[in-house]
Amino acid sequence: MIKVYHAGRSRSLRVVWMAEEMGLPYEVAAVDFRAPRPPEFLALNPANTLPVMVDGPVVLTESLAILQYLGDRHGPTELVVRPDEPGYPEYLQFLMLGEAGLAAPMNAVIGTRFFGPEDQKDNWTVGMVIEGFARRLKLVERRLEDGRRFLAADRFTAADISVGYTIGLAEALELHDKIPDAVRFYRERLVARPAFQRAAAA
Ligand SMILES: N[C@@H](CCC(=O)N[C@@H](CS)C(=O)NCC(=O)O)C(=O)O
């Protein structure tokens, strides 16, 4: 059975969402994000980050790698776009953008806003990262401007999970004014999916 170490709004939500969309059996090991992790967890992931996915002997700790792994090893699934499909380049682009371009830099904002000293919460770095986030989000806005519902291959894919999660992260950080309307409406469509609703309750 696939085991996902999960805490509500963390990137493990991407993994649980993918498993729900695919209809995969999985179990959740709930992690209290603010509590020190047990040695068992650190043995799996010395980086001490979420998510962690265990599937037999396989242990993965990068959310997008896990999405692709689940699609490839536990598919076939329409959630993954294959190299010979026309939508493959955009699939790759937005799958990676969701973390590398959009979410990863936000860790500096999360760390500073939640754990930093009071006089640092709106420091220069926080401003720079938020400005960079808003600029990169224009790639998503432009992609959606022709009215398409999903980012790649004219269907819901792991790229939508990747980017859709990150828009939710920005909302949780109250960056609503940085999210263009088209991107906000896109996110609303994603979170209305029954699989997302189940994942959010997991
Ligand atoms: N690139 C990794 C990022 C993992 C990550 O930063 N996870 C956050 C939770 S959403 C975390 O564990 N942060 C704690 C830390 O960095 O110490 C992924 O996509 O899984």
Side-chain angles (χ1 to χ4, degrees):
M1 171 85 78
I2 295 163
K3 186 171 183 178
V4 184
Y5 288 80
H6 176 50
R9 285 178 166 177
S10 86
R11 287 163 175 88
S12 54
L13 180 56
R14 284 186 177 133
V15 177
V16 175
W17 188 2
M18 181 84 176
E20 287 288 349
E21 293 279 359
M22 289 180 68
L24 292 177
Y26 66 95
E27 63 175 306
V28 162
V31 175
D32 177 353
F33 207 74
R34 289 182 177 257
R37 310 283 195 279
E40 164 212 329
F41 179 90
L42 292 171
L44 292 169
N45 181 13
N48 200 12
T49 53
L50 288 173
V52 176
M53 186 225 56
V54 181
D55 182 22
V58 176
V59 180
L60 292 176
T61 63
E62 280 291 331
S63 61
L64 302 190
I66 299 168
L67 300 193
Q68 190 73 32
Y69 169 88
L70 291 177
D72 288 342
R73 286 272 175 98
H74 291 275
T77 171
E78 292 281 289
L79 291 164
V80 163
V81 182
R82 302 290 156 199
D84 59 354
E85 293 187 65
Y88 178 70
E90 293 78 19
Y91 169 74
L92 269 190
Q93 161 87 355
F94 286 101
L95 181 69
M96 301 303 162
L97 180 77
E99 180 62 24
L102 291 172
M106 291 294 258
N107 274 4
V109 176
I110 296 166
T112 309
R113 287 263 165 100
F114 289 102
F115 306 108
E118 208 50 50
D119 67 342
Q120 292 296 314
K121 291 193 189 296
D122 278 309
N123 69 18
W124 187 88
T125 306
V126 166
M128 188 203 74
V129 172
I130 292 174
E131 189 275 329
F133 175 85
R135 201 159 16 84
R136 288 168 178 80
L137 210 52
K138 290 180 194 296
L139 291 164
V140 180
E141 182 185 26
R142 189 178 65 182
R143 182 69 178 154
L144 297 169
E145 75 188 2
D146 62 1
R148 71 180 61 239
R149 296 182 61 75
F150 303 116
L151 294 175
D154 293 326
R155 64 179 190 258
F156 180 82
T157 70
D160 297 298
I161 294 179
S162 174
V163 172
Y165 165 79
T166 304
I167 302 165
L169 181 65
E171 289 173 353
L173 288 165
E174 300 185 347
L175 301 177
H176 305 278
D177 60 325
K178 307 294 178 198
I179 303 173
D181 283 348
V183 176
R184 184 163 50 84
F185 298 148
Y186 163 69
R187 160 90 182 162
E188 285 171 6
R189 288 198 298 276
L190 297 182
V191 302
R193 297 177 69 84
F196 178 85
Q197 296 292 325
R198 290 193 298 273

